Amino acid sequence: MRTSTEGAVDLGELLSSLAQLPLPLVIAAAGALTLAECTIGLGMVIPGETGLLIAASAITDVFGFVAMVLVVTLCATTGDTIGYWLGHRYGQRLRETKLVGRIGRQHWDRAADQLRKHGAGAVFVGRFLPVLRTLTPAASGASDLRFRRFLPASAAGALCWSTLHVGIGTGAGASARYVEDVLGEASWFVLIAVVAVVVAVVLWRKVRARRTAAEAARTPRAEQ
């Protein structure tokens, strides 16, 4: 792998190396990360969203794009289904577990509140929200939401979410490869910027969600 005169890694070549991996392996890795992130508890430690963006940057054709979207959609829906049946099996007792306590019971309560107000619509929207993406399926199972209503909403949300993120990753990868061809050795500056923007957006969304949760947790104390 080439480096610049200052010893910086050529991210263009790194991206090319990723693209040279067997496509089924890259897609399987993206699916595994997604499944782990969507399963209750693991979503707080598995960087599925970031991993999906990086894996999608290796996609170079329509076949690969469609294949990754379908696999990621299936894995996301499977993870949601596992969460649903855990919630159905253990009910509201899940809220009192150490796992949910570590994630934040206020997030569970928020998910339950959205389910009461919007039903299956909350399942679809929750797919795009950090933390709620992990807890909404289990909260759905613990609520009165029927599985026949949960599953279509979960699958539709997973399809839209995977199409969006695979599209962003594929677009970023294509742009990076184009920049590599045009700018040559100087392109790693642009590639760093692309990666930094993607990571910054993901981190910002998570920080904003945690800040909102912290403010919501302080409000009852202030009223008392």
Side-chain angles (χ1 to χ4, degrees):
M1 183 176 297
R2 299 190 309 271
T3 60
S4 68
T5 55
E6 290 80 8
V9 174
D10 186 339
L11 294 183
E13 186 170 339
L14 180 61
L15 190 61
S16 298
S17 299
L18 178 62
Q20 290 171 8
L21 292 175
L23 183 60
L25 178 61
V26 175
I27 293 176
L33 282 172
T34 301
L35 176 61
E37 192 210 23
C38 294
T39 303
I40 183 171
L42 295 180
M44 299 303 296
V45 296
I46 301 296
E49 199 170 61
T50 304
L52 177 57
L53 290 170
I54 294 173
S57 68
I59 299 299
T60 58
D61 54 38
V62 175
F63 172 78
F65 177 85
V66 173
M68 181 171 286
V69 166
L70 291 178
V71 169
V72 170
T73 298
L74 177 61
C75 290
T77 305
T78 300
D80 284 355
T81 301
I82 293 172
Y84 179 92
W85 288 112
L86 285 173
H88 184 74
R89 170 67 176 81
Y90 296 103
Q92 293 298 326
R93 286 177 292 172
L94 274 179
R95 182 187 183 279
E96 306 307 320
T97 62
K98 292 181 179 179
L99 175 61
V100 174
R102 189 177 302 113
I103 297 173
R105 292 189 175 89
Q106 70 274 16
H107 297 303
W108 177 280
D109 294 338
R110 181 184 171 195
D113 182 61
Q114 293 301 309
L115 286 164
R116 283 192 295 270
K117 292 179 179 178
H118 306 292
V123 177
F124 179 88
V125 175
R127 160 59 52 188
F128 298 88
L129 302 176
V131 184
L132 288 188
R133 178 165 58 245
T134 297
L135 292 179
T136 295
S140 298
S143 71
D144 295 328
L145 184 66
R146 299 287 187 178
F147 184 69
R148 64 174 178 268
R149 295 186 59 206
F150 168 84
L151 184 60
S154 171
L159 176 60
C160 293
W161 177 82
S162 62
T163 301
L164 174 65
H165 285 79
V166 173
I168 292 174
T170 301
S175 299
R177 282 185 288 271
Y178 175 76
V179 169
E180 174 73 9
D181 291 339
V182 173
L183 299 182
E185 294 299 326
S187 65
W188 68 276
F189 286 108
V190 180
L191 294 173
I192 288 176
V194 171
V195 174
V197 168
V198 171
V199 173
V201 168
V202 173
L203 292 178
W204 176 77
R205 288 174 58 187
K206 292 186 177 182
V207 169
R208 185 180 63 173
R210 291 177 182 176
R211 185 179 301 167
T212 300
E215 291 175 354
R218 288 197 297 268
T219 300
R221 298 193 187 98
E223 293 176 350
Q224 293 176 0

